[in-house]
């Protein structure tokens, strides 16, 4: 059987990079395979995808050796237009893949390029939207969609073009667990129906193991493993070395369809209502200007020293709720008290010292050129004396192990995403807030980076900080949080200890936590 | 109004703006204003809604200021209708001469009317014509795809910029940056900080979007490309074109003859 993708001793280095990003790759992929690509951040996974699609070398400058042949064409000499139309590539960030201003136009854009008539375009738009579960979303603008919905649109717009090969580079990072599962299930269905070859890049071992029939493991631009999925998990030593997560139930019992995380219940204590709440919310309701009712009559108490995971499906109101904690959103109905005082009584500067807020994308939160300037930014805004600024800076840079990066990198711009996230955390923590809120700390990060970041949060929690995270990651919920708050369609379902939540299948379904 | 071709709507705004600048007579401008208001009503623009209240008040105040300023600071020949006064602020030194004639008031009123007409036309342009209408309209009249894509990406970029702006501003506020109760220089410094972050973010996003377009095999030039949303010009669009061009030519004639359509109309029918 002839491979449809073949790398022949292929090496690649970007113009600006010092080292080879892909080194002597020899790889054959056959029609109708479902390939999983794994590896730590910076291993070369995305670069490999761009080489298959032709973006490398056709549209990217760099040094090249060897050849890649895809669908019988050498990517050095093929036309980008042809490769792009036959090989669909879905990127990680759905925001930047949304080119047009409505969902319908977005899907139609590629179909118009194929020269299809209006009736066929209409049929394919309907088909693609049904495929990803977004029927009726034709006229929606990107700003009206959640991250997960945008990711579905990105997949729909590629699928509508009916590519022969579909490459997905972390396509479900913004989705809740059920959303992730649904997308991969859809991919499996269309692979069979359309005889499609699918290449899926993911950090999630469970998903790769469950759906892919072959796994390619990359590290430092080299293939470290290329074989059957059933063989993959037998290389525990290699996987541990590369920081690839091996779910306990998979490593012990082989491939399982039932993905549960109850075996990893965190051992911390659940804070009970014996003390005064640090945050108290009563009858909070909030609707956005487009009349979306984001929160409905929420009453809730959060106590000092809790480690809370706020969970729920995409669009359940999690981010809207936490933005009320520090006054970024004003309640339209109901009240919020921080340390027994109404939240709106606090000034911006006072609030910054009570509640620290870490955004999902550190790029939104880094304003200065150097690590020192960034960490000192908040302290200077709050007019701390110079001695105090110096002391706090030294304290936080050592706590988060950032000093070595300050010596290496002149500008924060050159830091990797993981380090930028750590710097964003440092710049918030330096203000010594009583409560730390972190929005989606694990999105798009590999297992090792997640572990490193969560370890920092765990240490802070042990130092009596109140930690609130929003996450879709079942591992993080089970391993680190002590309490969960479940939201569904703007309603507070329950606040309960994580250990109890992990035993309650009904609540897990509501929170889009389990697959059953 | 919604069934009109988007290009007809754009042309209407463009030509009516030119006509408003050309027409010399106040009464003609008043008729144009009435036509403008009909446009606003037909386009169902909620002029008196809460969202527009601040804008309308600001606009009215600005126009009153323009009217008064013109009356106080300009000197036009004509019959003195209000008063003439010399204000001496320093000894034997004339500082200010207020002279309000009938021509001063007519000109001030014409300027105000033009300003109101332009304001309504701008409202009609920004609210009555959606970004989507504009792009579909441009593509339907076979404007090159590259230009349509640039216009589309501009709208898309604006909406992304708006979202990123509010996120970055919020992120700064969580780090103790005040935007309200600070001095103007500090406020400017804070906004500069936001814009530096935004520029970096927008560069990254532009790069990613361009990779996304390339990756989907969307060429800028293609003979095979079809148009999904095709809006052909209809009879009423052609009628609007013809009507507006005739009006434009007639306005140019009135300008050079210093005539008035209303007065001409009254003379014929009375």
């Amino acid at each position: 059987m002839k491979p449809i993708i073949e790398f022949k001793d292929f090496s690649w280095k970007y113009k600006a990079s010092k080292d080879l990003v892909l080194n002597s790759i020899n790889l054959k992929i056959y029609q109708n395979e479902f390939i999983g690509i794994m590896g730590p951040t910076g291993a070369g996974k995305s670069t490999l995808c761009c080489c298959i699609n032709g973006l490398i070398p056709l549209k990217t400058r760099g040094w090249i050796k060897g050849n890649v042949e895809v669908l019988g064409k050498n990517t050095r000499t093929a036309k980008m237009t042809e490769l792009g139309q036959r090989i669909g590539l879905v990127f990680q960030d759905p925001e930047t893949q949304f080119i047009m201003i409505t969902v319908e136009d977005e899907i139609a854009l590629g179909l118009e390029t194929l020269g299809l008539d209006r009736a066929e375009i209409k049929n394919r738009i309907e088909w693609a939207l049904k495929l990803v579960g977004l029927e009726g979303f034709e006229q929606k603008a990107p700003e009206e969609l959640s991250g997960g919905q945008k990711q579905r649109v990105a997949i729909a717009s590629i699928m509508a073009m009916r590519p022969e090969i579909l490459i997905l580079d972390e396509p479900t990072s913004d989705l809740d667990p059920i959303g992730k599962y649904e997308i991969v299930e859809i991919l499996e269905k269309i692979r069979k129906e359309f005889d499609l070859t699918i290449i899926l890049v993911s950090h999630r071992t469970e998903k790769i193991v469950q759906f892919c029939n072959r796994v390619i493991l990359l590290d430092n631009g080299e293939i470290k493993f290329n074989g059957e999925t059933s063989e993959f998990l037998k290389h525990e030593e290699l996987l541990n070395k590369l920081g690839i997560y091996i779910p306990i139930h998979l490593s012990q019992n082989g491939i399982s369809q039932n993905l549960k995380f109850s075996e990893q219940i965190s051992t911390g204590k659940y804070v009970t209502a014996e003390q005064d709440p640090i945050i108290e919310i009563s009858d909070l309701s909030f609707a956005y200007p487009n009349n979306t009712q984001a929160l409905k009559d929420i009453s809730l108490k959060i106590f000092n020293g809790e480690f809370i995971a706020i969970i729920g499906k995409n669009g359940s109101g999690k981010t809207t709720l936490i933005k009320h904690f520090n006054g970024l959103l004003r309640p339209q109905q109901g009240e919020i008290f921080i340390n027994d005082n109404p939240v709106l009584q606090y000034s911006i500067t006072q609030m910054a010292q009570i509640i620290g807020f870490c955004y999902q994308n550190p790029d939104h939160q880094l304003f200065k050129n150097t690590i020192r300037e960034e960490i000192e930014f908040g302290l200077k805004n709050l007019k701390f004396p110079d001695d105090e600024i110096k002391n706090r800076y030294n304290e936080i840079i050592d706590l988060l192990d950032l000093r070595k990066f300050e010596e290496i990198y002149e500008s924060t711009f050159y830091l990797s995403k993981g380090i930028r996230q750590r710097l964003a955390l440092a710049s918030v923590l330096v203000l010594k807030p009583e409560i730390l809120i972190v929005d989606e700390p694990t999105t798009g990060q590999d297992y090792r980076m997640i572990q490193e970041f969560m370890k920092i949060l765990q240490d802070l929690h042990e130092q009596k900080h109140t930690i609130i995270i929003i996450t879709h990651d079942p591992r993080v919920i089970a391993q680190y949080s002590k309490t969960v708050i479940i939201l569904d369609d703007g309603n507070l379902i329950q606040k309960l200890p994580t250990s109890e939540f992990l035993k309650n299948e009904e609540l897990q379904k509501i929170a889009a936590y389990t697959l059953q | 109004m919604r069934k009109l071709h988007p290009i007809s709507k754009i042309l209407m705004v463009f030509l009516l703006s030119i006509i408003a600048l050309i027409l010399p007579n106040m009464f003609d401008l008043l008729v144009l204003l009435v036509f403008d208001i009909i446009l606003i009503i037909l386009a169902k623009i909620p002029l008196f809604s809460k969202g527009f209240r601040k804008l309308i008040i600001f606009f009215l105040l600005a126009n009153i200021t323009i009217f008064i300023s013109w009356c106080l600071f300009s000197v036009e020949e004509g019959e003195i209708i209000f008063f003439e006064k010399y204000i001496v602020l320093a000894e034997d030194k004339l500082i200010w001469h207020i002279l309000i004639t009938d021509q001063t008031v007519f000109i001030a009123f014409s300027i105000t009317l033009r300003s109101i007409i332009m304001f309504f036309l701008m409202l009609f342009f920004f609210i009555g014509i959606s970004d989507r209408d504009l792009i579909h309209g441009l593509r339907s009249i076979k404007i090159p795809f590259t230009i349509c894509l640039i216009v589309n990406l501009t709208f898309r970029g604006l909406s992304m910029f708006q979202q990123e702006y509010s996120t970055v501003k919020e992120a700064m506020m969580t780090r103790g940056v005040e935007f309200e109760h600070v001095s103007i220089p500090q406020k400017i410094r804070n906004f500069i900080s936001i814009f530096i972050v935004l520029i970096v973010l927008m560069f990254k996003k532009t790069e990613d979007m361009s990779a996304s377009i390339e990756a989907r095999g969307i060429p800028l030039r293609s003979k095979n490309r079809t148009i999904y949303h095709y809006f052909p010009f209809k009879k009423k669009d052609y009628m609007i074109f013809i009507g507006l061009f005739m009006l434009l030519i007639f306005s140019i004639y009135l300008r050079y003859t210093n005539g008035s359509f209303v007065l001409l109309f009254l003379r014929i029918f009375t």
Side-chain angles (χ1 to χ4, degrees), chain A residues 98 104 112 116 139 364, chain B residues 132 139 156 164 216 226:
Chain A
F98 214 124
E104 187 184 48
E112 288 173 336
L116 302 177
Q139 306 307 322
H364 287 133
Chain B
R132 199 171 179 230
R139 289 204 64 195
R156 183 77 186 94
E164 297 287 342
R216 279 155 75 178
T226 49

Side-chain angles (χ1 to χ4, degrees), chain B residues 140-155:
Chain B
S140 298
I141 58 163
K142 306 273 163 48
I143 297 286
F145 177 73
T146 317
I147 295 172
C148 299
L149 190 64
I150 290 169
V151 174
N152 177 84
L153 288 174
T154 308
F155 284 122

Side-chain angles (χ1 to χ4, degrees), chain A residues 257-277:
Chain A
Q257 294 288 313
N258 187 11
L259 305 182
K260 289 183 181 174
F261 297 86
S262 52
E263 68 271 28
Q264 295 172 33
I265 293 172
S266 71
T267 51
K269 83 174 194 326
Y270 171 69
V271 180
T272 54
E274 288 161 8
Q275 49 186 304
D276 289 336

Side-chain angles (χ1 to χ4, degrees), chain A residues 334-347:
Chain A
E335 284 178 303
I336 300 163
F337 296 91
I338 307 284
N339 289 328
D340 288 334
N341 296 312
V343 70
L344 297 177
Q345 260 186 24
Y346 292 98
S347 68

Side-chain angles (χ1 to χ4, degrees), chain A residues 126-137 149 152-153 156 182-183 186:
Chain A
E126 284 169 6
W127 172 82
L129 286 176
K130 194 176 173 193
L131 187 75
V132 296
L134 288 180
E135 291 143 299
F137 278 66
Q149 286 167 337
R152 285 169 194 245
V153 174
E182 281 171 358
I183 290 289
I186 288 164

Side-chain angles (χ1 to χ4, degrees), chain B residues 9-205:
Chain B
K9 293 184 194 172
I10 295 166
L11 207 67
M12 197 188 284
V13 171
F14 182 67
L15 289 180
L16 286 176
S17 303
I18 293 176
I19 291 166
L21 291 174
I22 291 172
L23 282 177
N25 190 277
M26 195 178 72
F27 299 109
D28 292 351
L29 287 169
L30 266 174
V31 173
L32 198 58
L33 179 63
V34 172
F35 183 69
D36 244 23
I37 292 168
I38 294 169
L39 268 186
I40 294 280
I41 294 166
L42 289 176
K44 293 181 182 158
I45 295 170
L47 206 55
F48 299 103
S49 67
K50 206 177 168 185
F52 280 108
R53 203 171 294 159
K54 273 187 187 173
L55 185 67
I56 301 279
I57 291 170
F58 171 79
F59 181 74
L60 281 176
L61 288 175
N63 271 291
I64 292 167
T65 313
I66 291 169
F67 186 87
I68 295 171
S69 304
W70 188 270
C71 290
L72 295 181
F73 294 100
S74 79
V75 178
E76 300 290 341
E77 281 182 13
E79 198 178 322
I80 298 171
I81 59 162
F82 191 54
F83 64 88
E84 183 174 15
K85 188 171 183 181
Y86 291 90
I87 298 171
V88 179
L89 294 178
E91 201 176 327
D92 299 331
K93 199 174 178 186
L94 176 69
I95 299 294
W96 196 2
H97 174 206
I98 297 176
L99 172 66
I100 300 179
T101 65
D102 56 349
Q103 282 306 307
T104 317
V105 176
F106 278 131
I107 293 172
F109 201 61
S110 299
I111 291 170
T112 311
L113 277 174
R114 282 191 184 106
S115 167
I116 295 170
I117 291 166
M118 296 287 200
F119 174 74
F120 283 154
L121 287 173
M122 282 301 109
L123 275 186
F124 177 74
F125 183 77
F126 285 112
I127 298 157
I129 309 168
S130 72
D131 41 10
R132 199 171 179 230
D133 281 349
L134 179 64
I135 291 156
H136 293 163
L138 290 174
R139 289 204 64 195
S140 298
I141 58 163
K142 306 273 163 48
I143 297 286
F145 177 73
T146 317
I147 295 172
C148 299
L149 190 64
I150 290 169
V151 174
N152 177 84
L153 288 174
T154 308
F155 284 122
R156 183 77 186 94
L158 281 173
S159 105
M160 268 168 43
F161 190 85
Q162 207 177 358
Q163 278 181 323
E164 297 287 342
Y165 168 79
S166 62
T167 311
V168 174
K169 191 179 170 193
E170 279 178 3
M172 289 187 99
M173 285 160 73
T174 62
R175 301 259 297 276
V177 179
E178 274 278 9
F179 284 90
E180 284 176 12
H181 311 292
V182 286
S183 64
I184 291 174
Q186 186 56 44
K187 214 177 243 186
I188 292 169
R189 274 197 292 274
N190 292 344
F191 279 109
I192 288 172
S193 297
I194 294 184
F195 281 104
I196 290 169
V197 179
L198 282 177
I199 288 166
V200 174
L201 280 169
M202 292 322 274
F203 266 116
K204 280 186 181 176
K205 285 191 185 282

